Amino acid sequence: MMRFLLLFSRQGKLRLQKWFTAMTDREKKKIIREMTTIVLARQPRSCNFLQWKDLKIIYKRYASLYFCLGVENQENELLALEVIHRYVELLDKYFGNVCELDIIFNFEKAYFILDEFLMGGEIQETSKQIVNRAIESSDMLQEDDHSEWYEVELFGP
Amino acid sequence: MSDVVEKTLTALPSLLSLDSQPGSAKLSTNSKLGNLIRGITELTSKHEEEKLIQRELLSIKEQVSSPNTTMRQMKELMVRTIYCEMLGYQASFSYIHAIKLAQQGNVLEKRVGYLAVSLFLDESHELLLLLVNTVLKDLQSTNLIEVCMALTVVSQMFPKDMIPAILPLVEEKLSHSKEIIRRKAVLALYKFYLIAPNQVQHIHNKFRKALCDKDPGVMSASLHIYLQLIQENPEGYKDLTVSFVTILKQVVAGKLPMDFNYHCVPAPWLQIHLLRILSLLGKNDQSTSEIMYEILDESLRRAEMNHNITYAILYECVKCIYTIHPKSDLLEKAAKCIGNFVLSSRINLKYLGLKALTYVVQQDPKLVLQHQMTIIECLDHPDLIIKRETLELLFRITNAQNVTVIVEKMLDFLRVSKDDHTTIDLVGKVAELAEKYATDNEWFIETMNTVFSVGGDMMQPDIPNSFLKLLLDGFDSVEEDRKLRLFAVNSYISLLQGEPSRLPQRFLQVISWVLGEYSHLNGDLEPDVVLRLLAKLLDMKSSSSETKSWVLMAMTKLCSGGAALSVAREVSETYGSSMDTMLRQRAQELQHLSQDSQLQTRVLPQSSSQEAVEVDSSLSFLDWFVSEALAAGAAPYKPPHQRQEEMSRSKALSLEPYGLSLPISMSSCSVADRQSPTLLSMSSGLSGDSTELSHKGSSTTLKLDGVKRVWGREGYLAQREPEEEAAQVETPAPLQSPSQQGDKDSSHSQAPTPTQTPESEQEKQQLASSLFVGLASQSSASLMGKSEQTSQRFRRKARSPDKSLSSSEQLTNPLGSPSSGADNLLLDCSISSELVSAPEQTHLQSLDLTAANSACDAPDGDTKGRKTLSRDDSVSAADVTPHEDPDRPKDLRLASYLPAELSGLSGLPHSEITLVCSNQSLDLSACHVQKDDSLEFVVFIKNSSDTSVHQVQVQVSCEELEVSCVCDSPAEELKSHSVTVCQYRLTVKRPSVYFELAGVVHYQLPAGSLQTEQFSHKLPLKSFIRPLAVSTEDYGTMWLAFSHDTKQNLPLLSDEQEPLTATLNVLKKKLQLHVVEIIGKEGIVACCLRPDQPCLLHCREHAGMLAVWLRSPVPDLPDCLLYHCQRALRER
């Protein structure tokens, strides 16, 4: 099971945080601090996996943005790396050539995408098409909409 | 794909100036959030940022509380608040508004509201209760998007106690027509299972339906639950193996829709999930493993593409193959796979290769040998992570021959590593290896010195503790002990003469203790020299007061005569007026003892450490003091937890039932009052009112009960001899041959790298031979892993089962350090002057106890006589109440051997007689009989051979139970095909769901050889439960006095006329509970294990469930009882 996902910039600025298990604010802050220091100190071209306390940390850098995933010990590291990659692909598909600024200015969208992709610390849906369809159709809602047609769009006829 | 993304991301600066491309990045350049973000990026200092955010938050606060703010504006405000929180600024004022937004907004706004809630609050936040209604409403909504959102938020965070409220609605969604809803519902239930497994127990069959769902997405979601369930109980799901294999087959063959593909690989997540489940099912189970061999082979074959995701599958396959029952050709393929990982130029794969090697090394040490050169290279890898993993691997292959090299590598790593967690972990491993395989004293002490200096104050406290214990207990030879201790003393003296201020506190404490105990071993060392060195530690600013107190204790042991006295006087004067009471106490002791050498030799005899210290942990010698104080009107003692509870209770409003009319603190006080005088006069074993203490003792007091027994003279002598023999028999594997073989192997498997100079290559070869020595030879391959098999130099005399517990207290409390007996006496001295009487009393008490024990054994002969008389094969089976399995004649025949008082005449039913152990000469069966006040456990020993056996003796024990024998040591001679019976009375010491009785039977065959056979028998807690008849008033008083409680919802038998009564009746019948009273929708029930181990249940009908609240003075009893209630209701 995944425990948390953090996105932070090269300067150590947090861009997105997702916690899959209950944690106090204090613990969260501590983890964020430790993760940014540890991950940012890593040399380029070194191993993407770390052991931290009883967790496996899997991180990957995409341009200026670091994706850092904390998983439980029995999880598969390579698979976790692909979880990160699939998330990037999903962001890319939604934003079209995603860049850090997209995520800064539309972080709530990044969260919505993540919620369709992962749920309760596990993979929920791996298909790019389906995740995207779910996000876009709820994006298109209008306030006075009577939610008939998009349901067809989202869930199939 | 990743390259494309990375390229775009690097083009980022140019994007800044451009407007976003159409239809893509929706940069809200002129929104308020945009302004805020830009504002922040323009700032240069943290301070300015703080000011800006505070201003922003202030304006947000104003707006959200204004009644004119529309939901749409609220949504925008909430997004900004989320941003501020992400930067680390608290905006707790907005939490309630986030909930409001989720409640009142339209779908778009609701989405932001839910997001804000899930980011702001955690499971235990009280505001979450306000969300329950919103979630309920949305779950029932006709708008599917709202249902999705509700399910998402529920799986993200939901108060545990409120799960029952929404559970039926989520369950209902399992049969929803849309697959996305079913999938989310399954995942939500998975989450519930993780945080509150009891709540979803009743829907296990629905999980099966989800597993068979026609949609692969729903099916794969249900695998999360199954993985969890199978992890907990692999036996219960073996029947599903075939289904899982079939699913995997279909996936691997590409039968799933394209949607599930990931980079052309069919559903990798699903595949890996299934592989993990299979490895759990196939572990230690040959027949189940056989079902999966084919598909594992297929998976290995299919995963050939050069992509990360295929490697992920391969890795999981390999792990599975090594976990399940081995099959040679699969193992071969898996080993090749690991080889590819290890040799890969990709660092991630190399890392996993090392991990895999670590995982398989115990099964397949040869594989490590094949890759030894790669491992050597990894040891010098620039990436610390790789190095660290290599050390982990080496740790697993350490033996007596390579320990020096490996420990050296580990210490090298420790010196450069900056990560605390790694340091703590590795320091522990070095200490373990050093103790296990130490080659000589010098090396051991020096290694431990490095461990203490590097590990510092971070390391686990049990490392210094077990080190001291090792010094204290010594080994097989007195001379060796002396040498080791002497070496430690000398080494520490030279450390203290250097720069002691650099040493960590823990190390200083170890040094002080060792010098205090053993510096007399060095005849050349004057005590005053040691004292001066120690005094220097006291003057150091960096020394903590804990360290100082260790130092003072050491000085107290050393301050005899001569020049030492003046140092002692000086020190005790300085610290005699210290503000720290502990230090003051120690200084006083130092002063008194240094002046009275007679007292000192009595209190701190130099040889004391060699002998087991008798400790009266109950402090019974203070009973007179307590009773006098009580008589003089002092308040009775209450253990800390009780005090704390009362404090918290009196602060909060009393919301508990039964307590309305009583002032709470008064009532529990009176309970304690009532108990105290009787307890005091009756038993000296429990002094004061510490009945609670004796239950809870483990956590609040020094646990010294076990110490005496384990370290007692007889205790270790008994174990010592066989160990000595073992040490003599074991001979170290030949040094030369394995290393040569190792070299040969390496040259086989790997060609030397051409770029390297021959010398460095030679160096590596050398290193390899020293690292992998002992691995190649067949005999020593088995040396790995298990410590028992190794030839240890530092062989402990005996291992105390609660070593960690007792020792962990040693560092935090110098009072409990190994010479604690002496310290306690010392304490007594300062409390009362009755020093002389105390030990005597202790002694008397222990005598009494043994007398009582033998008294308990005495009447055996009598009962036995009676029983052998009644043993008659002609007694008809009708006499006894055959409880179960009437078609097993063997049982019936055995039942006739039941002791008269237990057999059918008295109407006591006995449980089914089960065979617990059987060999060619003896058949042992057992059953239990429930008596009103106890449980009688009966063992039937039947001689099934044709010759008679002699000296049959049975011993039964259980950690959680008190076993007293009613009738033991049966016949001197057991004739062929005759039966004898042993009877034991069992009472509960510590509740547990099941009690595992362990038994041993000794007997002598006619040939004269002594035989031993072990058996075990499992008893449920259920058998110990007795009804407790109390009145409602008494119930109320008791309820308030009990401190351990637990709450849970149980299924209600709702199909009955009166569900509550029906449910309680089931419990009454199955568990023998006593139903005290049923009033409307509430019922109170009571039971007990022994009269002094009651448990009360308060049951309430609520929302179609039975809300049960259990309370008891006995820890764990409510939880264990609850388990049986659940089972009873489920099995109905």
Side-chain angles (χ1 to χ4, degrees):
Chain A
M1 192 179 137
M2 289 170 248
R3 294 285 191 83
F4 58 81
L5 174 68
L6 301 176
L7 266 65
F8 46 84
S9 70
R10 233 160 59 188
Q11 291 76 35
K13 287 246 186 257
L14 189 66
R15 296 301 180 209
L16 186 137
Q17 52 174 333
K18 186 82 185 173
W19 307 90
F20 298 107
T21 47
M23 240 179 272
T24 63
D25 266 359
R26 225 195 148 104
E27 287 171 303
K28 286 181 188 171
K29 285 214 169 108
K30 188 165 171 273
I31 292 179
I32 294 171
R33 205 173 44 238
E34 289 207 25
M35 284 306 116
T36 43
T37 6
I38 296 175
V39 169
L40 290 176
R42 301 277 297 156
Q43 297 293 317
R45 313 198 66 76
S46 47
C47 182
N48 292 78
F49 315 132
L50 298 168
Q51 186 75 36
W52 183 79
K53 290 193 178 173
D54 58 336
L55 294 184
K56 284 175 177 168
I57 307 297
I58 290 91
Y59 73 93
K60 181 145 192 195
R61 182 177 155 185
Y62 288 89
S64 56
L65 208 54
Y66 282 90
F67 289 69
C68 173
L69 187 64
V71 301
E72 281 169 9
N73 227 335
Q74 71 272 18
E75 295 289 326
N76 187 320
E77 288 94 340
L78 286 172
L79 194 68
L81 208 53
E82 296 311 300
V83 169
I84 293 179
H85 189 70
R86 178 42 52 115
Y87 183 46
V88 174
E89 286 178 347
L90 287 169
L91 291 171
D92 193 59
K93 178 147 175 122
Y94 179 80
F95 289 107
N97 287 338
V98 67
C99 67
E100 190 185 343
L101 285 182
D102 290 319
I103 295 170
I104 299 175
F105 284 98
N106 300 289
F107 62 86
E108 82 275 19
K109 297 280 169 23
Y111 277 115
F112 296 145
I113 295 172
L114 189 62
D115 278 342
E116 285 302 317
F117 175 46
L118 307 176
M119 189 166 161
E122 300 286 357
I123 287 282
Q124 185 199 168
E125 175 59 70
T126 52
S127 156
K128 271 196 276 191
Q129 284 73 24
I130 295 180
V131 172
N132 239 40
R133 223 189 306 157
I135 295 295
E136 275 172 2
S137 45
S138 31
D139 271 355
M140 273 182 255
L141 295 179
Q142 296 302 315
E143 273 169 54
D144 50 355
D145 201 318
H146 288 296
S147 67
E148 290 297 334
W149 63 271
Y150 63 80
E151 274 189 15
V152 174
E153 180 89 2
L154 170 55
F155 304 106
Chain B
M1 182 66 218
S2 72
D3 293 342
V4 178
V5 179
E6 277 178 55
K7 267 179 213 143
T8 13
L9 282 172
T10 24
L12 198 141
S14 60
L15 267 173
L16 270 168
S17 52
L18 288 173
D19 264 340
S20 56
Q21 294 147 336
S24 71
K26 296 120 187 146
L27 293 184
S28 39
T29 35
N30 46 12
S31 73
K32 283 181 188 159
L33 175 72
N35 288 336
L36 172 68
I37 293 169
R38 257 190 305 279
I40 291 169
T41 39
E42 279 158 18
L43 297 177
T44 48
S45 76
K46 185 82 191 157
H47 180 65
E48 281 177 76
E49 180 191 295
E50 207 173 306
K51 269 198 331 209
L52 181 83
I53 300 282
Q54 292 305 353
R55 216 167 44 229
E56 180 79 17
L57 282 177
L58 216 62
S59 102
I60 293 176
K61 191 174 182 176
E62 222 166 77
Q63 288 177 64
V64 287
S65 37
S66 146
N68 297 328
T69 312
T70 63
M71 280 294 143
R72 191 181 197 144
Q73 287 165 318
M74 193 70 102
K75 175 186 140 206
E76 197 275 323
L77 287 167
M78 219 32 85
V79 171
R80 265 194 285 161
T81 321
I82 295 176
Y83 192 81
C84 294
E85 279 248 335
M86 184 156 68
L87 291 177
Y89 300 88
Q90 255 224 327
S92 44
F93 65 86
S94 64
Y95 297 171
I96 184 74
H97 297 285
I99 290 179
K100 234 163 76 186
L101 188 64
Q103 206 164 37
Q104 296 166 4
N106 66 25
V107 183
L108 264 186
E109 294 147 8
K110 198 185 260 298
R111 188 164 71 157
V112 174
Y114 272 136
L115 174 66
V117 170
S118 70
L119 287 172
F120 292 160
L121 309 181
D122 61 49
E123 272 167 348
S124 52
H125 202 286
E126 51 194 359
L127 278 181
L128 266 188
L129 289 179
L130 298 176
L131 196 72
V132 174
N133 252 331
T134 316
V135 170
L136 268 177
K137 208 182 79 199
D138 285 338
L139 280 176
Q140 287 162 306
S141 162
T142 51
N143 184 335
L144 294 187
I145 291 191
E146 283 180 344
V147 179
C148 282
M149 277 191 242
L151 286 172
T152 305
V153 80
V154 154
S155 75
Q156 170 77 26
M157 30 86 86
F158 201 74
K160 216 188 281 184
D161 310 335
M162 296 311 289
I163 289 176
I166 56 160
L167 192 59
L169 284 173
V170 178
E171 257 182 86
E172 199 178 277
K173 298 286 177 285
L174 286 177
S175 40
H176 199 277
S177 57
K178 299 287 183 210
E179 58 95 4
I180 188 171
I181 305 271
R182 291 202 301 276
R183 198 177 62 205
K184 283 185 197 261
V186 170
L187 281 168
L189 288 175
Y190 164 66
K191 186 74 189 195
F192 292 167
Y193 180 78
L194 288 183
I195 56 175
N198 297 327
Q199 311 270 23
V200 293
Q201 256 172 11
H202 62 285
I203 43 177
H204 278 193
N205 54 343
K206 292 203 177 157
F207 293 156
R208 276 202 188 221
K209 224 180 104 200
L211 183 66
C212 305
D213 199 284
K214 61 180 188 295
D215 183 84
V218 182
M219 181 270 292
S220 62
S222 76
L223 290 184
H224 297 299
I225 299 176
Y226 276 101
L227 182 63
Q228 204 66 33
L229 289 172
I230 292 171
Q231 220 157 21
E232 283 155 23
N233 171 26
E235 294 307 318
Y237 298 89
K238 298 273 183 189
D239 59 318
L240 287 175
T241 314
V242 180
S243 318
F244 290 130
V245 169
T246 321
I247 298 173
L248 186 55
K249 265 186 192 151
Q250 290 175 356
V251 175
V252 171
K255 298 267 170 65
L256 288 187
M258 287 293 280
D259 265 349
F260 289 90
N261 280 9
Y262 176 85
H263 293 260
C264 304
V265 177
W269 277 275
L270 181 54
Q271 282 196 44
I272 284 175
H273 232 99
L274 286 166
L275 285 170
R276 278 173 63 189
I277 289 178
L278 289 183
S279 71
L280 289 173
L281 287 171
K283 195 175 184 179
N284 302 327
D285 183 342
Q286 186 172 2
S287 58
T288 312
S289 297
E290 273 161 9
I291 307 175
M292 50 188 87
Y293 288 147
E294 189 196 333
I295 183 63
L296 287 174
D297 196 36
E298 174 84 12
S299 294
L300 276 183
R301 211 160 41 77
R302 291 258 183 174
E304 273 171 349
M305 202 181 46
N306 188 14
H307 188 279
N308 255 344
I309 198 76
T310 50
Y311 288 119
I313 296 173
L314 276 179
Y315 183 64
E316 210 62 45
C317 261
V318 168
K319 263 173 84 174
C320 180
I321 289 170
Y322 272 98
T323 311
I324 62 172
H325 188 86
K327 181 167 191 260
S328 58
D329 67 318
L330 274 183
L331 284 178
E332 219 169 88
K333 283 179 190 168
K336 215 176 117 201
C337 225
I338 295 180
N340 289 341
F341 274 84
V342 176
L343 296 174
S344 166
S345 57
R346 289 204 225 168
I347 192 159
N348 286 343
L349 297 186
K350 202 180 257 312
Y351 173 86
L352 287 183
L354 287 170
K355 278 213 136 170
L357 276 183
T358 316
Y359 187 73
V360 306
V361 70
Q362 260 156 45
Q363 289 180 48
D364 196 357
K366 289 225 182 69
L367 196 57
V368 176
L369 280 178
Q370 272 173 32
H371 299 294
Q372 49 179 314
M373 289 318 282
T374 322
I375 295 171
I376 301 281
E377 273 161 28
C378 289
L379 259 185
D380 290 324
H381 202 280
D383 191 346
L384 282 187
I385 300 294
I386 299 280
K387 251 188 180 173
R388 171 81 187 76
E389 210 47 51
T390 317
L391 290 177
E392 187 73 41
L393 171 61
L394 291 181
F395 172 71
R396 300 286 176 96
I397 61 164
T398 309
N399 55 38
Q401 295 159 56
N402 59 16
V403 64
T404 354
V405 194
I406 289 179
V407 164
E408 193 190 305
K409 289 280 166 199
M410 287 179 157
L411 292 177
D412 283 349
F413 182 87
L414 274 173
R415 291 190 188 101
V416 292
S417 159
K418 289 189 185 62
D419 175 35
D420 290 356
H421 309 299
T422 316
T423 308
I424 293 170
D425 180 54
L426 214 52
V427 155
K429 287 189 166 137
V430 173
E432 190 188 326
L433 291 181
E435 190 185 308
K436 219 195 264 181
Y437 302 108
T439 46
D440 61 79
N441 290 336
E442 200 172 329
W443 181 84
F444 177 64
I445 295 292
E446 268 165 14
T447 306
M448 288 311 283
N449 282 355
T450 324
V451 164
F452 289 137
S453 345
V454 176
D457 296 320
M458 289 184 294
M459 69 185 155
Q460 302 289 343
D462 63 330
I463 298 176
N465 285 337
S466 72
F467 173 71
L468 292 186
K469 226 173 175 126
L470 196 122
L471 281 185
L472 176 75
D473 298 338
F475 321 108
D476 301 334
S477 123
V478 178
E479 181 53 26
E480 277 294 302
D481 292 352
R482 206 189 65 82
K483 274 192 195 156
L484 178 69
R485 289 169 187 161
L486 183 61
F487 192 87
V489 167
N490 290 340
S491 156
Y492 294 159
I493 289 288
S494 63
L495 274 176
L496 287 191
Q497 280 162 346
E499 269 191 85
S501 56
R502 286 196 182 165
L503 302 176
Q505 301 298 309
R506 285 260 183 78
F507 195 15
L508 291 178
Q509 291 162 12
V510 168
I511 291 178
S512 318
W513 188 87
V514 172
L515 290 183
E517 287 289 315
Y518 300 119
S519 63
H520 63 84
L521 291 177
N522 184 343
D524 304 336
L525 207 55
E526 291 297 327
D528 63 306
V529 177
V530 183
L531 276 185
R532 283 215 176 82
L533 284 173
L534 287 172
K536 219 164 76 184
L537 298 182
L538 288 176
D539 296 336
M540 277 177 352
K541 278 207 188 86
S542 51
S543 301
S544 68
S545 72
E546 198 191 332
T547 309
K548 285 181 184 166
S549 125
W550 280 74
V551 172
L552 283 172
M553 287 211 355
M555 293 175 106
T556 315
K557 292 173 197 159
L558 291 173
C559 61
S560 51
L565 274 182
S566 65
V567 185
R569 195 174 310 128
E570 223 171 273
V571 168
S572 57
E573 266 167 25
T574 322
Y575 287 92
S577 54
S578 163
M579 292 299 281
D580 189 321
T581 47
M582 185 57 97
L583 287 185
R584 207 154 66 212
Q585 161 98 17
R586 295 280 168 231
Q588 291 289 345
E589 287 164 12
L590 175 61
Q591 195 185 1
H592 283 295
L593 291 179
S594 65
Q595 278 158 15
D596 187 343
S597 60
Q598 238 185 338
L599 184 63
Q600 197 206 14
T601 42
R602 225 177 59 218
V603 174
L604 295 166
Q606 277 201 337
S607 58
S608 74
S609 53
Q610 295 293 326
E611 285 156 22
V613 178
E614 295 272 330
V615 178
D616 178 9
S617 61
S618 62
L619 304 180
S620 57
F621 51 86
L622 287 175
D623 280 357
W624 65 273
F625 179 78
V626 176
S627 50
E628 264 177 27
L630 281 173
Y637 173 76
K638 280 182 207 137
H641 71 192
Q642 201 183 335
R643 260 175 283 165
Q644 220 163 21
E645 195 173 76
E646 274 166 28
M647 289 248 288
S648 62
R649 262 201 238 157
S650 53
K651 264 184 221 151
L653 276 177
S654 165
L655 294 170
E656 293 166 13
Y658 316 114
L660 298 172
S661 57
L662 285 164
I664 287 147
S665 54
M666 280 290 293
S667 73
S668 46
C669 233
S670 67
V671 169
D673 255 336
R674 206 173 51 215
Q675 287 176 346
S676 55
T678 44
L679 264 175
L680 263 181
S681 54
M682 267 171 59
S683 75
S684 58
L686 294 169
S687 97
D689 300 316
S690 50
T691 38
E692 289 279 337
L693 206 63
S694 63
H695 294 307
K696 265 223 117 123
S698 56
S699 58
T700 50
T701 56
L702 281 177
K703 187 163 181 170
L704 294 169
D705 299 326
V707 175
K708 190 169 62 189
R709 243 176 300 136
V710 176
W711 299 104
R713 224 158 236 274
E714 290 112 327
Y716 82 70
L717 273 179
Q719 294 193 2
R720 186 172 160 178
E721 279 157 67
E723 271 178 353
E724 257 173 357
E725 274 166 38
Q728 280 165 1
V729 172
E730 259 171 324
T731 49
L735 255 165
Q736 205 45 43
S737 63
S739 65
Q740 282 166 347
Q741 194 178 336
D743 282 354
K744 243 184 281 164
D745 271 6
S746 71
S747 52
H748 273 310
S749 61
Q750 250 181 324
T753 331
T755 50
Q756 268 161 334
T757 59
E759 289 102 77
S760 77
E761 187 59 17
Q762 211 170 11
E763 237 168 66
K764 285 193 175 175
Q765 294 278 5
Q766 230 164 10
L767 182 58
S769 62
S770 52
L771 274 179
F772 299 100
V773 63
L775 251 190
S777 69
Q778 284 300 329
S779 65
S780 48
S782 63
L783 279 179
M784 283 168 310
K786 296 273 187 291
S787 59
E788 283 77 13
Q789 295 168 330
T790 58
S791 55
Q792 283 183 39
R793 175 183 178 81
F794 295 140
R795 187 179 295 280
R796 296 194 169 217
K797 287 179 173 167
R799 276 186 194 273
S800 139
D802 50 5
K803 183 187 86 187
S804 60
L805 219 160
S806 59
S807 59
S808 68
E809 279 152 359
Q810 285 166 14
L811 265 197
T812 50
N813 188 352
L815 268 176
S817 68
S819 57
S820 60
D823 288 333
N824 278 354
L825 292 181
L826 208 53
L827 256 184
D828 296 340
C829 167
S830 57
I831 296 169
S832 68
S833 54
E834 300 263 289
L835 191 67
V836 196
S837 69
E840 272 174 17
Q841 261 186 4
T842 325
H843 187 61
L844 275 180
Q845 187 215 355
S846 57
L847 264 183
D848 279 348
L849 274 177
T850 46
N853 274 342
S854 54
C856 169
D857 288 346
D860 283 349
D862 240 352
T863 21
K864 193 181 68 194
R866 188 147 34 94
K867 197 157 51 302
T868 30
L869 277 180
S870 74
R871 187 216 299 160
D872 187 352
D873 276 301
S874 65
V875 173
S876 76
D879 258 352
V880 288
T881 39
H883 206 55
E884 270 143 313
D885 267 17
D887 52 349
R888 285 180 60 182
K890 199 165 141 212
D891 275 10
L892 290 180
R893 252 185 287 131
L894 278 177
S896 62
Y897 290 103
L898 267 178
E901 42 162 347
L902 301 181
S903 65
L905 293 172
S906 50
L908 290 168
H910 67 83
S911 73
E912 181 189 352
I913 299 173
T914 48
L915 192 67
V916 290
C917 139
S918 149
N919 59 19
Q920 61 271 32
S921 42
L922 288 185
D923 279 337
L924 259 68
S925 312
C927 75
H928 59 266
V929 180
Q930 299 190 7
K931 290 199 356 184
D932 282 343
D933 53 346
S934 67
L935 191 80
E936 305 288 315
F937 179 64
V938 184
V939 182
F940 303 88
I941 307 154
K942 181 169 183 234
N943 183 356
S944 54
S945 68
D946 295 327
T947 51
S948 54
V949 292
H950 299 270
Q951 309 279 351
V952 183
Q953 273 191 340
V954 182
Q955 281 161 8
V956 175
S957 66
C958 174
E959 243 176 78
E960 291 91 7
L961 293 177
E962 221 171 279
V963 184
S964 59
C965 52
V966 180
C967 151
D968 196 358
S969 61
E972 283 282 291
E973 182 187 1
L974 188 59
K975 290 217 178 69
S976 149
H977 297 293
S978 64
V979 177
T980 183
V981 178
C982 295
Q983 187 186 343
Y984 300 89
R985 178 159 300 152
L986 308 178
T987 45
V988 178
K989 268 195 291 191
R990 213 165 50 233
S992 159
V993 175
Y994 287 101
F995 299 98
E996 193 85 36
L997 280 166
V1000 185
V1001 54
H1002 302 282
Y1003 59 94
Q1004 205 165 9
L1005 289 177
S1009 58
L1010 202 61
Q1011 303 282 323
T1012 308
E1013 194 73 38
Q1014 294 185 334
F1015 63 93
S1016 70
H1017 188 71
K1018 207 166 160 191
L1019 286 171
L1021 179 76
K1022 209 161 84 174
S1023 318
F1024 291 90
I1025 300 171
R1026 303 286 176 274
L1028 177 70
V1030 288
S1031 66
T1032 310
E1033 290 75 42
D1034 288 344
Y1035 184 98
T1037 339
M1038 284 160 82
W1039 181 264
L1040 287 174
F1042 296 167
S1043 49
H1044 300 280
D1045 69 347
T1046 209
K1047 290 181 206 176
Q1048 180 77 55
N1049 284 349
L1050 298 178
L1052 198 64
L1053 309 176
S1054 39
D1055 43 342
E1056 303 278 340
Q1057 275 265 311
E1058 283 178 77
L1060 181 65
T1061 320
T1063 315
L1064 292 186
N1065 278 340
V1066 169
L1067 291 179
K1068 182 181 171 183
K1069 209 173 97 200
K1070 291 221 169 173
L1071 300 177
Q1072 300 202 40
L1073 307 181
H1074 171 70
V1075 179
V1076 181
E1077 200 175 355
I1078 298 178
I1079 316 161
K1081 292 209 175 285
E1082 295 185 38
I1084 50 180
V1085 182
C1087 70
C1088 64
L1089 301 181
R1090 285 197 318 237
D1092 62 335
Q1093 294 174 327
C1095 186
L1096 305 180
L1097 291 87
H1098 173 253
C1099 311
R1100 196 158 57 90
E1101 208 183 317
H1102 173 69
M1105 302 285 282
L1106 184 70
V1108 187
W1109 187 357
L1110 296 97
R1111 271 199 175 192
S1112 167
V1114 187
D1116 300 334
L1117 180 54
D1119 289 309
C1120 298
L1121 182 61
L1122 184 65
Y1123 174 84
H1124 287 284
C1125 290
Q1126 261 170 349
R1127 295 234 359 206
L1129 290 177
R1130 207 161 1 118
E1131 282 167 5
R1132 186 186 68 103

